Amino acid sequence: MAPRNAFYAQSGGVTAVINASACGVLETARKYSDEIRAVFAGRNGIIGALTEDLIDTSLESEAAIAALKHTPGAAFGSCRYKLGSIDEQRAAYARLIDVFDAHDIGFFFYNGGGDSQDTAYKVSQIGAELSRSIVCVGIPKTVDNDLPITDCSPGFGSLAKYLAISIREAAFDVASMSATSTKVFVMEVMGRHAGWATAACALAAEQDGDAPHILLLPEVDFNEERFLAKVKESVQRYNHCVIAVSEGVKSSGGTFLAASGTTDAFGHQQLGGVAPVITGMIGDRLGYKCHWALPDYLQRSARHIVSETDLQQAYAVGRAAVEFAVAGRSAVMPAIRRLSDQPYRWDIVEPPLAAVANQEKLLPAHFIVADGFGITDAARRYLAPLIVGESYPPFRNGLPDYVKLHNAAVPKKINTPFAI
Amino acid sequence: MAPRNAFYAQSGGVTAVINASACGVLETARKYSDEIRAVFAGRNGIIGALTEDLIDTSLESEAAIAALKHTPGAAFGSCRYKLGSIDEQRAAYARLIDVFDAHDIGFFFYNGGGDSQDTAYKVSQIGAELSRSIVCVGIPKTVDNDLPITDCSPGFGSLAKYLAISIREAAFDVASMSATSTKVFVMEVMGRHAGWATAACALAAEQDGDAPHILLLPEVDFNEERFLAKVKESVQRYNHCVIAVSEGVKSSGGTFLAASGTTDAFGHQQLGGVAPVITGMIGDRLGYKCHWALPDYLQRSARHIVSETDLQQAYAVGRAAVEFAVAGRSAVMPAIRRLSDQPYRWDIVEPPLAAVANQEKLLPAHFIVADGFGITDAARRYLAPLIVGESYPPFRNGLPDYVKLHNAAVPKKINTPFAI
């Protein structure tokens, strides 16, 4: 059978290692030249497929492709765009098939979180329904670590490492100044629904008294009185208190704590986080001097300090996706299976996309301690191996030497535009 | 002459490398055992001297002292405490001399910024006035880089490197998502009066269009209309806009832009930064989706990614301080003198503390471009060498292996307490 082209796209919020998955896909596809002619990447994710804005990755040098392994962001552009059901958006799915037909695309690789796995699943369905031979493989990615089945999601281990390092470093700062300055430090971390990132901060603590002293998880209803009592106790015992708070912490009424609806002195709407709310509360009620940090995108883009374990897994799922595809497996997603905690061993398994799509894995109850402000040893055993190992990017002039690809467009073959 | 003890203390906001200066002091002092018996550190800075709460560093192992070189924070505790004039606080200065007499302290090393150099200067004066033989040497440190005379301040290079890396990484994130998501990213950086840290972010940009696209420096009056026009231009040209803003940006009326006086939905006072004000303004007026980050203490404690140049300088000023002291030089501060930009060469000179104390070095006008939103090539030449080189800490279980000293107290010899 003649080789066909492949489509690859990156979707949703980026990670420090999603380009390592891209690297795994592209390097592996180049090895299977009997089956895969060229890999066309969607510019800005699935939007690139819908608008026939494809990037010819075969024009990139081997060195540039290899450099993806140490470059954050999404090299081909990502998007926040969710395809609805096939019934609702039949025109969009038909358009995808038209574009894939026009460019002889026989393989569809979609690299993203739960929504993206859902899209990959739907594309596999429409392909089958329209009798188009297209092999669809999802590639897991999300800093939120909320994909089901896979033991962890590529991207999360590096976020976890960055956050645990950052809170440890900030805690050294606060502890050394607490006699006359800041007593409470709050770091706000990603994870609107699932507390994996917040939980990972706890890895910074190894002994009694080590920071962080309190976690505020989105899985646990926030109770102001119990929280303030815990802060007070920490300050009394350790003379300072370091807190990791999930952006998605909610009160028992189900409303987000994050500041909203406030305006600043200029009358502009204030885009707030939860950290200023928490520190405001502590300052008002307990009178402690507080500081807070909001790393925002820094936490999911910190390629300079990724987890080597995470990096290897990100590459491995990209490579496995191509291997699955050329073996004719469709509607699957390479997933990480844990074989043992210590020594940490894992391999790649092959769950169906149908089982992965549109689910959200929260912190299980047995990972959260009784008072809700920390994690259990079971959680620690789960999290610990994911942050192990360093893989530094090359540096030039004191800065990481990240690659920007040429991203040359594949000439269009369809003349009709498509409105997004 | 019989050897005498030395006093060393850390003062003011910490840096990622102030402990490297401590390491330079302690390792060098151990080599001069004919002159220096033991180094007693002040617990929590000068407060430790006033309250006779001294730490016997001679009880720490060589390995622990060496590990200070890769540990952030202030190993002996720092403080925000400024001694007033000798006339105002004669009792405090007299107390210092009493404590130093009681512990046979002949050398006073004070590691800090402008205020701390002022304290060191005053101690040298009172020593002379009271005919006490005490050699006083200041050791420079400040992430703000605002000390005069010295070419740069230890601590700043590492802050600069962290910020330039972080904004480059976040910019890769934003650029890859901007088609359908965030168009504007704002990072708020330290430096209430001087724009050195904000300027350093510009090192991330190497080519036209590279982030950051706009700097908001505290040396330049903020003008909302001109700023918004610049943001719009950047988004139109590059489809995104990355902004570094100093926490100390002020309007032409001289008021800080940083949110103040606002309350959140719970009625608590909101401790705001300037980044949410800026993003609120952009969202309201231009309608772009914005994100913002506030690294706060993370930026000055990020030992995991310090500048090797900065680390060497931090160690060198600690070592030089001891060498100056045993040579009998008092009321001086080791300062860094730049010999050439490229290749970067520097040595240590010996300005008098009187010339260093209580001054603030702002960004000079010729470092700021005409429209106020960026830096000149001259600034770039100055800043570039300061972030060069990496010096990673050792890692254990995926996390930096930072040292915590025993910090055993020197037995007290004075029985009177001293109220701070």
Side-chain angles (χ1 to χ4, degrees):
Chain A
M1 215 168 79
R4 302 183 66 191
N5 295 314
F7 174 83
Y8 167 79
Q10 301 174 312
S11 180
V14 298
T15 79
V17 298
I18 184 173
N19 285 332
S21 293
C23 180
V25 167
L26 299 177
E27 290 189 341
T28 311
R30 287 179 180 200
K31 287 182 190 153
Y32 285 96
S33 55
D34 286 350
E35 290 85 4
I36 298 175
R37 197 183 307 122
V39 178
F40 296 157
R43 195 184 306 274
N44 302 320
I46 197 75
I47 289 175
L50 290 167
T51 59
E52 204 196 358
D53 193 354
L54 305 177
I55 292 163
D56 189 349
T57 70
S58 68
L59 302 176
E60 304 290 343
S61 70
E62 280 188 23
I65 298 299
L68 289 178
K69 208 168 172 180
H70 65 246
T71 297
F76 307 110
S78 185
C79 66
R80 293 212 178 273
Y81 183 82
K82 184 170 158 65
L83 275 172
S85 71
I86 293 175
D87 282 345
E88 282 163 11
Q89 290 194 270
R90 188 158 285 273
Y93 288 97
R95 170 72 173 195
L96 285 181
I97 298 297
D98 285 349
V99 170
F100 294 161
D101 273 356
H103 292 276
D104 191 26
I105 285 167
F107 305 94
F108 176 84
F109 299 108
Y110 207 46
N111 200 169
D115 284 354
S116 309
Q117 303 310 326
D118 178 59
T119 299
Y121 176 59
K122 285 172 179 153
V123 172
S124 74
Q125 286 182 299
I126 191 83
E129 194 184 306
L130 298 178
S131 306
R132 308 293 176 162
S133 156
I134 184 154
V135 173
C136 294
V137 180
I139 303 172
K141 169 242 64 167
T142 171
V143 294
D144 293 332
N145 202 40
D146 59 358
L147 281 168
I149 301 180
T150 189
D151 182 65
C152 60
S153 302
F156 170 67
S158 295
L159 178 92
K161 186 183 186 87
Y162 173 88
L163 291 174
I165 291 173
S166 296
I167 208 162
R168 172 175 284 186
E169 291 179 332
F172 267 71
D173 185 320
V174 176
S176 62
M177 303 284 299
S178 64
T180 56
S181 184
T182 301
K183 288 233 178 332
V184 179
F185 176 74
V186 177
M187 185 170 82
E188 175 170 341
V189 309
M190 288 183 164
R192 191 154 275 265
H193 304 294
W196 297 104
T198 312
C201 293
L203 293 175
E206 292 179 314
Q207 296 175 26
D208 182 49
D210 281 357
H213 307 98
I214 301 177
L215 306 182
L216 293 176
L217 300 162
E219 286 87 352
V220 180
D221 286 346
F222 180 78
N223 177 302
E224 182 165 334
E225 300 308 320
R226 288 183 51 242
F227 168 66
L228 290 173
K230 185 89 180 172
V231 173
K232 197 170 173 185
E233 182 197 327
S234 172
V235 172
Q236 285 173 342
R237 286 182 66 182
Y238 312 118
N239 207 29
H240 68 296
C241 180
V242 173
I243 301 163
V245 57
S246 160
E247 61 180 336
V249 164
K250 289 184 279 293
S251 67
S252 56
T255 53
F256 287 112
L257 253 65
S260 62
T262 61
T263 52
D264 63 30
F266 295 76
H268 296 301
Q269 172 80 18
Q270 179 124 3
L271 307 174
V274 64
V277 174
I278 292 289
T279 50
M281 194 181 285
I282 296 168
D284 274 8
R285 297 279 308 275
L286 301 178
Y288 299 136
K289 184 178 176 193
C290 301
H291 256 248
W292 54 277
L294 178 65
D296 195 60
Y297 290 161
L298 275 54
Q299 66 196 286
R300 71 180 194 191
S301 303
R303 178 59 188 83
H304 74 272
I305 192 62
V306 294
S307 154
E308 167 70 15
T309 303
D310 185 38
L311 183 73
Q312 285 179 9
Q313 292 178 337
Y315 186 89
V317 294
R319 180 181 54 208
V322 174
E323 289 168 350
F324 288 171
V326 295
R329 329 289 272 211
S330 189
V332 295
M333 178 192 86
I336 293 150
R337 177 173 61 175
R338 183 180 300 225
L339 301 172
S340 74
D341 289 329
Q342 208 177 11
Y344 179 55
R345 293 190 307 112
W346 54 277
D347 64 5
I348 301 265
V349 291
E350 197 183 335
L353 281 171
V356 179
N358 283 321
Q359 295 195 45
E360 216 169 36
K361 183 174 66 180
L362 304 185
L363 275 184
H366 74 282
F367 275 15
I368 303 172
V369 294
D371 75 0
F373 294 124
I375 60 168
T376 61
D377 288 344
R380 204 169 277 277
R381 274 195 302 278
Y382 166 75
L383 291 165
L386 306 183
I387 68 166
V388 169
E390 294 70 53
S391 176
Y392 302 111
F395 277 71
R396 189 168 46 78
N397 299 331
L399 291 166
D401 194 9
Y402 297 140
V403 71
K404 290 187 183 176
L405 302 180
H406 298 295
N407 283 350
V410 176
K412 295 198 186 215
K413 298 195 171 179
I414 303 178
N415 284 319
T416 53
F418 186 87
I420 294 295
Chain B
M1 215 168 77
R4 300 184 68 195
N5 295 314
F7 174 82
Y8 167 78
Q10 302 175 311
S11 180
V14 298
T15 79
V17 298
I18 184 173
N19 285 332
S21 293
C23 181
V25 168
L26 299 178
E27 290 188 341
T28 310
R30 287 180 179 199
K31 286 182 190 151
Y32 285 97
S33 53
D34 285 349
E35 290 84 4
I36 299 176
R37 198 183 308 121
V39 179
F40 295 157
R43 196 184 307 274
N44 303 319
I46 197 74
I47 290 175
L50 291 167
T51 58
E52 203 195 359
D53 193 354
L54 305 177
I55 291 164
D56 189 349
T57 70
S58 68
L59 302 177
E60 304 289 344
S61 69
E62 281 189 23
I65 298 299
L68 289 177
K69 209 168 172 180
H70 65 246
T71 296
F76 307 110
S78 184
C79 65
R80 294 215 177 271
Y81 183 83
K82 185 170 157 67
L83 276 170
S85 73
I86 293 174
D87 283 345
E88 283 164 7
Q89 291 196 267
R90 187 159 286 273
Y93 287 97
R95 169 73 174 193
L96 285 181
I97 298 298
D98 286 349
V99 170
F100 295 161
D101 273 355
H103 292 277
D104 191 27
I105 285 168
F107 305 94
F108 176 83
F109 298 109
Y110 208 45
N111 200 169
D115 284 353
S116 309
Q117 303 311 326
D118 179 59
T119 298
Y121 177 59
K122 285 172 180 155
V123 172
S124 74
Q125 286 182 299
I126 191 83
E129 194 184 307
L130 298 178
S131 306
R132 308 295 175 156
S133 154
I134 184 155
V135 174
C136 295
V137 181
I139 304 171
K141 169 243 62 164
T142 170
V143 295
D144 293 333
N145 203 41
D146 59 359
L147 281 168
I149 301 181
T150 188
D151 182 64
C152 60
S153 301
F156 171 68
S158 294
L159 178 91
K161 185 183 186 85
Y162 173 88
L163 292 174
I165 291 173
S166 295
I167 208 160
R168 173 175 284 187
E169 291 180 331
F172 267 72
D173 186 321
V174 176
S176 61
M177 303 284 299
S178 63
T180 57
S181 184
T182 301
K183 288 232 178 335
V184 179
F185 176 75
V186 177
M187 185 170 82
E188 176 170 341
V189 310
M190 288 182 163
R192 189 153 277 264
H193 304 293
W196 297 103
T198 311
C201 293
L203 294 175
E206 292 179 315
Q207 296 175 27
D208 182 49
D210 281 356
H213 307 99
I214 301 177
L215 306 182
L216 293 177
L217 299 162
E219 286 87 353
V220 180
D221 286 346
F222 180 78
N223 177 302
E224 182 166 332
E225 299 308 320
R226 288 182 50 244
F227 168 66
L228 291 173
K230 186 89 178 171
V231 172
K232 196 170 172 183
E233 182 196 328
S234 172
V235 172
Q236 285 172 343
R237 285 181 66 184
Y238 311 118
N239 207 31
H240 69 294
C241 180
V242 172
I243 301 163
V245 56
S246 160
E247 60 180 338
V249 164
K250 291 185 278 293
S251 67
S252 56
T255 52
F256 286 112
L257 253 62
S260 61
T262 59
T263 51
D264 63 30
F266 296 76
H268 297 300
Q269 171 81 16
Q270 179 122 5
L271 307 173
V274 64
V277 174
I278 293 289
T279 50
M281 193 181 283
I282 296 168
D284 274 9
R285 298 277 309 273
L286 301 178
Y288 300 136
K289 185 179 176 193
C290 302
H291 256 249
W292 55 277
L294 179 66
D296 194 60
Y297 290 160
L298 274 53
Q299 68 196 286
R300 71 181 194 191
S301 303
R303 177 59 188 84
H304 75 272
I305 193 64
V306 294
S307 154
E308 168 71 16
T309 302
D310 185 39
L311 183 73
Q312 285 179 9
Q313 292 178 336
Y315 187 90
V317 293
R319 181 180 53 208
V322 174
E323 289 167 352
F324 288 171
V326 296
R329 330 289 271 212
S330 190
V332 295
M333 179 192 84
I336 293 150
R337 177 172 62 173
R338 182 179 302 225
L339 302 172
S340 74
D341 287 329
Q342 207 176 13
Y344 179 55
R345 291 190 308 112
W346 55 277
D347 64 6
I348 300 268
V349 292
E350 197 183 337
L353 281 172
V356 179
N358 283 322
Q359 294 195 45
E360 215 169 37
K361 182 174 67 178
L362 304 186
L363 275 184
H366 73 282
F367 275 15
I368 303 172
V369 294
D371 74 1
F373 294 124
I375 59 168
T376 61
D377 287 344
R380 204 169 277 276
R381 274 195 301 279
Y382 165 75
L383 292 165
L386 306 183
I387 67 165
V388 169
E390 294 71 52
S391 177
Y392 302 111
F395 276 71
R396 189 168 46 78
N397 299 331
L399 290 166
D401 193 9
Y402 297 139
V403 71
K404 289 187 185 177
L405 302 180
H406 298 295
N407 284 351
V410 176
K412 294 197 184 214
K413 298 194 171 181
I414 303 179
N415 285 318
T416 53
F418 186 86
I420 295 296

